Amino acid sequence: MISQFNLFRYVDGTTIVHRADARSKVVGLTALVFAFSFSPSWIAVGIIWALVVLLFVAARLPVSVIPRPPRLLYAAMVIAMFFGILSGGEPFVSVGERQLGIGGAIFQIRFFGVTLGLLALSLLIGWTTKAADLPRAAEWMLRPLRWVRVPIDELVAALTIAVRALPLVADEFALVTTLWRTRPKREGPRDVRHYLVDGMDVAATVTAASVRRARELGEAIEQRGSVGIAYQQPRWVFADAVIFVALVSAAVGIVLVPS
Amino acid sequence: MLLDEVVRLEGVSHIHAAGSPWARPALQNIDLEIRPGERVLITGPNGCGKSTLAWILAGLTTPTEGSAVRSGEALVEQAGDIGLLVQHTRLQLLRANVAAEIGSFNMSPERIRWAIGVMGFPLSVLSQPIDALSVGQQRRVGLALLIGRACTLTVLDEPMAGLDAPSRAALVEAVEQLPRQTTVITVTHDLDDSLPLGRRVITLDEGRIVGDRRNP
């Protein structure tokens, strides 16, 4: 399911989005996330999706990279909408003789709009940035925190493991769910409890495999002495200025434009 | 001979992530016939398409072109009836302990005891958590499942990888315990270690069959 999102799978290219360094993309995306937490408005939804389309076109990515979300995601959205409707709130609409508050449902739609937009932006960054550059960008961004003795090297090492392991974990998850088909089908009627037990077993197996893989990666990083490495940051180029201005302007717009 | 149980691959080609920027051809125009009871080794260098072929033979991957059938039925329709042992066996053993794992395969207690015994385990292994077992032991539990299930087609993907000499010997012995009519297809990059597992050796290179010979 996770692997269907094509996380951190670089698509080769020489466009302005590809040429921009990971630092400008990561800082810009962080600014957008902060801006949305200050102003979760419909304006924010519009700006984020406009940015997604703009960067997608500028990066000349093929339409085939767009993931087909798994059915489970749709199911989760439907359930969330159901609870949103239950929560009521203004405005009210008339359904027969009853008044139905749809405020919660509208909030839910806005929430989906922004979270899916931010997810799309994150995927875009993943498709146009080599995964190996992301820890370097994170180290640059977190560097000021060294002054307050935050263990940046360890944080960056953990991030490196996470970035490298995530696609592998996604593949392992896909592998486990595929291997599930080799098992005999449970006899008799299935109820929710069976699905829960099966789901927990799959999750436990993937977790055990992930922990093992993370440990191996951690040991490999430690043996190479890479924790605390002095990253060589490339020079800023014109593409950085363009991407940085586009993302940060969008963030400022989200905060300043009245909703 | 059960001719209708012959595994037939005709014009099989496969491209991973077909249609996406990450598309990667794995197999090209594979024609293959494997008779019931044959013990086949599929070998070749890394990235030659061995594991993709193993997954097609195990019914877990539908080839992007061509047909893969047994008994006139597509292999993907028979995935639940084909035995498979993958290199990272931990990903196949989904239940918390050995008893729960083997128990989910609908085997009689006698059959379970027999399969566990064939693999050289004491009965006490049944109460062991899966994660308390070594990689080699996990693979032997996987093999015990294959033996117990008695599938007529079994695919072993890199079964020797990461095993020490005694575990490899135990694995060869376990495969020999499978009934004569069981077709065993072993995918391996290390032919020397796996030679006892098959008499027919099929060599792949860049997604094509470049050799099909009998092991003397």
Side-chain angles (χ1 to χ4, degrees), chain B residues 131-194:
Chain B
D131 285 314
L133 303 175
S134 68
V135 171
Q137 287 172 324
Q138 287 175 0
R139 206 163 297 161
R140 278 159 61 201
V141 169
L143 271 173
L145 277 169
L146 292 184
I147 292 171
R149 289 175 66 195
C151 302
T152 52
L153 173 59
T154 290
V155 179
L156 311 175
D157 188 4
E158 299 286 2
M160 300 292 196
L163 295 189
D164 55 18
S167 300
R168 286 201 295 268
L171 192 139
V172 170
E173 225 170 275
V175 172
E176 282 168 1
Q177 298 287 332
L178 291 167
R180 302 286 311 160
Q181 66 271 26
T182 303
T183 308
V184 182
I185 301 168
T186 305
V187 170
T188 178
H189 73 279
D190 191 346
L191 194 55
D192 291 341
D193 276 345
S194 303

Side-chain angles (χ1 to χ4, degrees), chain B residues 60-123:
Chain B
L60 294 177
T61 298
T62 307
T64 43
E65 267 181 59
S67 69
V69 299
R70 185 179 65 148
S71 312
E73 191 184 10
L75 287 170
V76 283
E77 302 296 329
Q78 306 175 41
D81 301 322
I82 300 171
L84 173 69
L85 185 75
V86 298
Q87 183 180 343
H88 300 295
T89 314
R90 175 66 186 90
L91 297 176
Q92 280 185 283
L93 308 175
L94 299 181
R95 303 298 181 198
N97 59 42
V98 178
E101 177 62 27
I102 295 186
S104 60
F105 282 82
N106 308 325
M107 283 187 256
S108 67
E110 295 76 32
R111 187 95 187 152
I112 291 173
R113 276 197 289 274
W114 173 76
I116 287 291
V118 165
M119 287 314 304
F121 284 118
L123 277 179

Side-chain angles (χ1 to χ4, degrees), chain B residues 4-35:
Chain B
D4 62 334
E5 290 239 338
V6 172
V7 175
R8 277 200 184 84
L9 271 60
E10 287 178 359
V12 164
S13 297
H14 190 70
I15 300 172
H16 289 297
S20 80
W22 305 287
R24 189 167 42 88
L27 294 174
Q28 296 177 61
N29 207 22
I30 300 283
D31 290 318
L32 186 61
E33 191 175 287
I34 298 171
R35 293 171 176 277

Side-chain angles (χ1 to χ4, degrees), chain A:
Chain A
M1 185 179 73
I2 313 169
S3 60
Q4 287 171 275
F5 284 105
N6 302 323
L7 291 163
F8 298 117
R9 298 183 77 180
Y10 184 69
V11 181
D12 215 9
T14 55
T15 67
I16 196 162
V17 187
H18 287 85
R19 288 200 307 275
D21 188 56
R23 288 171 295 174
S24 36
K25 296 175 195 169
V26 171
V27 169
L29 185 64
T30 309
L32 275 174
V33 172
F34 273 110
F36 173 68
S37 61
F38 281 114
S39 179
S41 62
W42 284 109
I43 297 283
V45 178
I47 288 176
I48 285 172
W49 278 104
L51 206 55
V52 169
V53 173
L54 187 75
L55 290 178
F56 190 86
V57 173
R60 291 187 194 152
L61 292 167
V63 177
S64 55
V65 299
I66 299 172
R68 256 179 262 160
R71 275 179 289 183
L72 198 61
L73 183 71
Y74 293 117
M77 287 169 75
V78 168
I79 293 167
M81 283 299 291
F82 173 72
F83 284 110
I85 291 169
L86 279 188
S87 69
E90 291 182 348
F92 292 92
V93 291
S94 300
V95 181
E97 293 179 356
R98 299 190 63 176
Q99 292 283 301
L100 186 67
I102 58 168
I106 290 173
F107 178 84
Q108 204 65 262
I109 293 170
R110 199 170 61 195
F111 175 76
F112 289 145
V114 172
T115 46
L116 292 179
L118 289 174
L119 175 67
L121 270 179
S122 309
L123 291 175
L124 258 166
I125 289 179
W127 297 330
T128 56
T129 311
K130 288 176 178 157
D133 292 341
L134 290 171
R136 177 176 55 72
E139 190 271 341
W140 176 82
M141 209 170 77
L142 297 172
R143 206 177 279 171
L145 295 177
R146 283 188 197 280
W147 291 95
V148 286
R149 295 181 178 273
V150 174
I152 300 304
D153 295 332
E154 285 73 14
L155 280 176
V156 171
L159 182 73
T160 307
I161 291 172
V163 166
R164 298 214 177 142
L166 196 56
L168 303 173
V169 171
D171 286 346
E172 272 174 356
F173 194 86
L175 188 63
V176 170
T177 46
T178 306
L179 288 171
W180 187 269
R181 287 167 44 203
T182 64
R183 302 174 78 84
K185 290 188 171 62
R186 206 187 280 272
E187 286 174 4
R190 290 174 64 86
D191 58 25
V192 175
R193 195 173 55 89
H194 291 128
Y195 286 107
L196 280 176
V197 168
D198 290 351
M200 282 192 293
D201 283 338
V202 169
T205 303
V206 174
T207 305
S210 309
V211 168
R212 188 202 66 232
R213 193 177 290 282
R215 191 178 59 231
E216 288 168 2
L217 279 170
E219 284 167 3
I221 286 173
E222 204 173 325
Q223 278 171 8
R224 284 188 198 168
S226 298
V227 175
I229 194 168
Y231 286 103
Q232 290 289 315
Q233 302 290 353
R235 295 176 66 150
W236 296 104
V237 293
F238 178 67
D240 289 305
V242 174
I243 295 300
F244 184 80
V245 167
L247 293 175
V248 173
S249 309
V252 172
I254 287 172
V255 175
L256 295 185
V257 176
S259 53

